[in-house]
Amino acid sequence: MKVKVIAMTAVVILIIAAVIYLSTQSLLKKEQDVSLVSILPKIELQPMFYEKNNFFSAIEKSKDIKPEKNIQAIVVPHHLLVSEYIAGLMKRASGRSIDTVVIIGPNHENVGQEILATTLAEWQTPAGGVSTDNQLVNSFLSDLREQSNYYAFIHEHSIGAIVPFVKYFFPQAKIMPVIINSYANVQDAERLATWLDKNLPDNSLVIASTDFSHYLDKDTASKNDLQTRQWITERDTQSIAHLNNDYVDSPISLATILLLAEKRGLKTQEVYHGNSFDFSLKKPAETTSYFGLAFY
C-alpha cells in the first residue's frame, strides 16, 4: 500500500513539475519576444540615405500623381539625384493599404558571406523609425537557411535611400530588406522569387532598388538602355542575370522582380527612364541611367 502511495505521489509531483516547466518556458518565450522588439539594433540616418531639400522637392513633384490600387511591385533607383523618380513611383503605388514593404537591392560592398542577406533592425528617418517585419524576416532566414547580417546594412544605400520614402508614403508599414551580393546568379533570383511568391503577405509591396548603366558617356548609356529595355520587355532573366555595371548595378534584383511578376501574372509598365546627365548642372562625362517600372 505504501509503495502505491509513494508511486502516485511521485507521478503527481512529475505532473506538477512538467506544468511548471512548460509555463515557465512560455513566459520566457514571451519575454524574449518582447525583448527582441525592444532591442532591435538601429541603423542611423546618413547623407547617402537622405537629403532634406532633395527629399521634399521630390515629394512636391509627386503631388499631382494619382495613387493606384493595383500596383504589386516597382523598380526604383537608389541614387538620390533622381529622388523624384522614387517619390513618383511610391506615390503611384500608394493607392492601397500596405503593411509590409520588401526592398531588394545590391550589396554594393559585398559585406558578409551571404548571397542573400537580411536583418532585424530599425532604420531611423526624420519622420521616425521603420522596423523590420520580424516574422517575415525570421521565416526567410529559416526557409532559405541564410544568416542575419546587420553590419551589411549599416551603410547600404540601396536600402537606406528607400526607407525615408517608405516612411512618408506608407507610414505604418514594416519592411523586409534583402541585399544581394555580386556572386549571385539566376538560380538565386529564382529561389528568392519563389519564396516571395509563396510567403508575401496580402497587403505588401515589393521594391527592386537598382540603378542601371554606370560610368558611361550618355550616348553609350542610351544604347545599352535600349538593349536592357528589350530584355525587360521579353523578361529575359537569363540574359539580365549576366549583366554588369554597363547595364545595371543589381542584375539579380531586377531578375528577381521579373520572375516574381511572371509567377503572379503581372504586367510591366515603364513609368520613367532617364540619365544623370540630364539632372546634373555640370554635365558629367560618366553617367548613371535609371528606369522606373511598375508591375500590375
Side-chain angles (χ1 to χ4, degrees), residues 69-291:
K69 295 182 178 180
N70 56 347
I71 295 177
Q72 305 297 310
I74 57 177
V75 173
V76 299
H78 44 251
H79 191 183
L80 294 182
L81 178 67
V82 288
S83 290
E84 63 187 77
Y85 285 0
I86 307 173
L89 274 157
M90 293 274 199
K91 176 71 176 293
R92 195 177 293 266
S94 67
R96 61 189 177 97
S97 176
I98 300 293
D99 297 325
T100 300
V101 178
V102 177
I103 310 173
I104 306 167
N107 183 345
H108 281 98
E109 303 300 327
N110 281 344
V111 178
Q113 298 180 345
E114 300 82 9
I115 297 293
L116 307 173
T118 189
T119 190
L120 300 171
E122 179 182 277
W123 274 254
Q124 305 302 292
T125 82
V130 178
S131 298
T132 45
D133 183 328
N134 294 347
Q135 183 176 350
L136 195 63
V137 169
N138 282 323
S139 294
F140 174 90
L141 292 170
S142 175
D143 294 345
L144 298 187
R145 299 182 180 181
E146 296 285 358
Q147 297 293 319
S148 178
N149 186 350
Y150 163 76
Y151 297 101
F153 290 86
I154 294 175
H155 302 296
E156 182 47 70
H157 66 284
S158 69
I159 305 299
I162 307 304
V163 173
F165 291 97
V166 170
K167 184 65 176 178
Y168 185 88
F169 288 106
F170 311 106
Q172 304 306 317
K174 295 182 181 297
I175 65 171
M176 188 182 90
V178 180
I179 52 175
I180 303 172
N181 76 17
S182 61
Y183 303 108
N185 56 37
V186 73
Q187 286 77 28
D188 296 306
E190 175 64 38
R191 186 163 61 107
L192 178 54
T194 298
W195 187 89
L196 289 171
D197 184 41
K198 292 179 179 178
N199 292 278
L200 278 176
D202 290 336
N203 295 331
S204 61
L205 176 70
V206 180
I207 299 175
S209 165
T210 182
D211 299 326
F212 283 76
S213 67
H214 280 59
Y215 314 123
L216 305 176
D217 63 82
K218 186 182 179 183
D219 289 342
T220 304
S222 296
K223 290 177 183 177
N224 285 6
D225 286 352
L226 284 174
Q227 179 62 73
T228 301
R229 179 183 285 122
Q230 180 180 337
W231 284 322
I232 290 171
T233 301
E234 296 172 353
R235 297 192 175 173
D236 185 354
T237 53
Q238 289 288 343
S239 294
I240 288 171
H242 290 92
L243 297 178
N244 58 23
N245 265 342
D246 288 349
Y247 294 87
V248 58
D249 75 346
S250 186
I252 302 304
S253 297
L254 180 59
T256 297
I257 209 163
L258 291 173
L259 287 166
L260 179 63
E262 191 69 21
K263 293 176 186 297
R264 297 204 157 193
L266 304 178
K267 296 179 180 179
T268 309
Q269 180 186 4
E270 182 181 314
V271 181
Y272 299 114
H273 174 250
N275 189 288
S276 60
F277 186 91
D278 300 315
F279 288 82
S280 305
L281 294 176
K282 295 181 179 179
K283 301 305 181 183
E286 296 183 346
T287 69
T288 303
S289 66
Y290 319 99
F291 282 92

